Amino acid sequence: MADDYYVQNNSNSDDSEVELNLSSPELKGYLSKWTNYIHGWQPRFIVLKDGTLSYYKSEQDSDFGCRGAISLQKATIKSHEFDECRFDVAIGQNVWYLRAETPEDKSNWIEVLQSYKTDQPETVSLRRHGSTISLQSNTLSTASGSSLKRVSRGLREKLHEIETFRDILYGQIDTLQRYFDALHTKNEDQPPLDLGDGLKPIDFRGEAITFRETTAGVIITLQHCLDIISQKEESFKKKLDKEQERRRKAEELYRTAKDELAKNRNSVIPGPDLEEGPHSTIPEDEFFDAVETGLDKIEEDRQLRVRLKYQSQQSQISNVSSLHSPSAETEDEIPQLAEDFGTGAQAKSHKLWPEIDRICTEQLTQARQGVGEDGNGWQLFADEGEMKMYRREEEVDGMVIDPLKSCHVVKGVTAREMCHYFFDPAYRNDWETTLEDVQIVDNVAPDTLVFLQTYKRIWPASQRDALFWSHMRRITDNLDAGANDVWIVCNHSNQNEEYPPANQGKCVRIYLTVILVCQTYLPPGKDSKTATRDDLTCKITYCSTVNPGGWAPATVLRAIYKKEYPKFLKRFTGYVVDQCKAKPIMY
């Protein structure tokens, strides 16, 4: 980063009340500034001028007032212990976290800031820089209340001096007037004086009258000036009082907020060291507690939305489009549609198809294996009736990627219905509570889509996104004994040049491989034509391997997985049962 570094000299003034700055270093350029835990590091235009460090959103905005300012006279400048490009500038609780592009840039900034702090005297400047009062600073800029008070005090003193001179002038004029009158009376009967050198005697009375009128005009004009200055002083005092009141309220609000934060242990102002990252200082137990609290709040919000939705739309539950209800199709067309789901020419011609077909086959084979058949040491970590969840502890480069396998049995729905709601993005926000945004990047075929999913930020964890293809198909190899039909949905991360992983951007990229295998079972004597919802049993196998990226502690990730995966599977299957109970059966 190229920074402009130069020295500016200011001339001194004889005014004893206003001191102009001596020569002081100036530095300006772009640095990354920690904004808040939502937006993280953002580029900001930083300016050092007249002993004040100010920042703007961009260089183009620098003419419209700064967003914040810190006086370096009382600031603490500290280089970060681990991050070689970062340094902090702080006054009390107000801390600016800054990062340069290189360690050399960082050293240059620190050197200039420190040299100013140690070498430059504290001065007062009346020139406007940025804004009179920073919106985010605990200190005032150079045109602050203290300098305003000092100028006001000097103005009042000068007014008193003028009034004193006026009274003296009144006395002197009166004395001179009496002297002129006495001379005129004494010399009235005397012969004219011979002054020599051609000088003529003056008319004392006429000159006295003229002098009196002139001085009266001067005094009247001076009195008028005093009145104007007094009015200006009153206006100036009102502005000063108003500014002081605004500052008093701001300080009171700040103290109140600070006291509230101190009372609430969980209400902290998170900085870059108190969130997920390579230099995070937050303890693992506090990291887990914060994430757990965030997830619980999301779940509470979801349950509230569900209750409100059911109360307002109960009468519309059965209204579904023909796109999502096969009952509008003939019985002969339904099996053909299902069979075409994974074999369409549109899908097979796509460049992703070889990978899609291979991954789906590999994942289906692994999902069909029992937890004790592959010899990989699955560990049971959740056993809730029909639902059992297993995992294996695995790490790659220190990152937890524990494979998960879950087995569940649900009544009243078919395999296709379960996969339909898992695949279709129209329903995903209803059961996936942590989603912030779902974007279809590529529409490969009706049964194959490429998604970019962005997940909600849950402090102190970083925000994450995932880019993956999702494929739904019916399995017809007849390897599942007793199953009426078998459907799968497979998701797998892929690369797209238009949506690269963010290096220092908003999100950390997740890499995943997921398969949902669903099998429909009917009691003896029943088939798809005679069965009711009470006869349906859906056996579910859910397998996933997820690399979350980032720097979340392994113990925290495993604790969250243990708690959230069972809740996720129960929430999803319960949602499908609720959606299907009043609708025709879809095989």
Side-chain angles (χ1 to χ4, degrees), residues 191-478:
L193 295 176
D194 184 8
L195 301 177
D197 295 332
L199 296 176
K200 297 179 179 181
I202 63 173
D203 181 2
F204 278 102
R205 185 172 184 80
E207 291 296 330
I209 293 173
T210 302
F211 178 74
R212 182 174 59 191
E213 294 300 327
T214 303
T215 53
V218 172
I219 292 173
I220 291 173
T221 303
L222 180 59
Q223 184 62 49
H224 182 63
C225 292
L226 287 173
D227 293 340
I228 293 176
I229 293 174
S230 297
Q231 293 174 3
K232 292 293 184 180
E233 180 192 21
E234 185 65 25
S235 174
F236 189 59
K237 184 176 181 300
K238 289 181 179 179
K239 291 181 180 179
L240 175 61
D241 292 341
K242 184 177 180 180
E243 199 64 54
Q244 290 174 335
E245 179 65 17
R246 288 177 56 189
R247 180 174 182 177
R248 185 191 64 78
K249 291 181 179 180
E251 290 176 345
E252 182 179 346
L253 181 63
Y254 171 76
R255 286 193 298 270
T256 301
K258 185 177 179 181
D259 293 341
E260 289 296 325
L261 292 175
K263 292 178 183 178
N264 189 347
R265 177 175 176 270
N266 292 325
S267 297
V268 297
I269 302 176
D273 291 332
L274 291 177
E275 69 160 15
E276 177 186 353
H279 310 302
S280 176
T281 60
I282 186 171
E284 291 186 1
D285 57 339
E286 294 184 14
F287 193 110
F288 173 74
D289 290 342
V291 173
E292 184 180 40
T293 300
L295 291 171
D296 290 344
K297 182 64 170 61
I298 290 176
E299 178 62 19
E300 291 174 5
D301 293 342
R302 184 197 69 85
Q303 292 177 1
L304 176 61
R305 290 197 305 271
V306 169
R307 289 196 298 269
L308 293 175
K309 181 179 178 180
Y310 281 0
Q311 290 173 4
S312 62
Q313 299 181 355
Q314 189 66 35
S315 62
Q316 303 178 14
I317 292 180
S318 60
N319 296 332
V320 293
S321 66
S322 60
L323 176 63
H324 300 303
S325 175
S327 59
E329 305 172 47
T330 65
E331 294 181 359
D332 293 336
E333 290 173 332
I334 294 175
Q336 184 61 41
L337 175 63
E339 187 174 341
D340 288 344
F341 232 72
T343 58
Q346 182 179 352
K348 287 187 175 182
S349 62
H350 197 275
K351 63 181 180 180
L352 285 175
W353 177 250
E355 176 184 278
I356 292 172
D357 193 46
R358 175 179 59 81
I359 295 295
C360 287
T361 301
E362 294 174 354
Q363 292 299 309
L364 177 60
T365 300
Q366 295 179 17
R368 280 170 165 168
Q369 295 178 342
V371 293
E373 296 177 9
D374 55 13
N376 287 325
W378 292 97
Q379 301 174 3
L380 179 68
F381 72 91
D383 188 353
E384 302 182 19
E386 296 287 353
M387 184 180 69
K388 293 178 172 54
M389 285 195 166
Y390 305 84
R391 73 177 180 200
R392 296 196 315 264
E393 291 192 358
E394 289 186 15
E395 295 186 15
V396 174
D397 297 329
M399 179 58 61
V400 173
I401 59 165
D402 294 355
L404 173 81
K405 176 175 285 191
S406 177
C407 302
H408 194 21
V409 177
V410 180
K411 300 288 187 178
V413 295
T414 66
R416 183 180 178 184
E417 289 171 334
M418 193 66 68
C419 289
H420 168 70
Y421 284 100
F422 189 79
F423 171 78
D424 197 326
Y427 307 103
R428 192 160 299 173
N429 276 307
D430 293 339
W431 54 267
E432 178 55 277
T433 59
T434 59
L435 281 184
E436 180 177 283
D437 182 62
V438 179
Q439 180 180 353
I440 299 177
V441 173
D442 191 357
N443 191 342
V444 178
D447 61 356
T448 308
L449 301 173
V450 179
F451 294 103
L452 177 62
Q453 290 190 169
T454 304
Y455 300 89
K456 295 176 182 177
R457 171 76 188 275
I458 303 176
W459 183 84
S462 301
Q463 189 169 24
R464 286 169 163 78
D465 64 10
L467 179 69
F468 61 92
W469 54 255
S470 183
H471 175 67
M472 176 177 171
R473 70 164 63 170
R474 183 177 184 179
I475 304 301
T476 57
D477 56 11
N478 298 320

Side-chain angles (χ1 to χ4, degrees), residues 27-39:
L27 190 63
K28 60 184 179 181
Y30 280 95
L31 294 174
S32 294
K33 182 179 183 296
W34 175 261
T35 54
N36 53 56
Y37 79 95
I38 295 177
H39 300 291

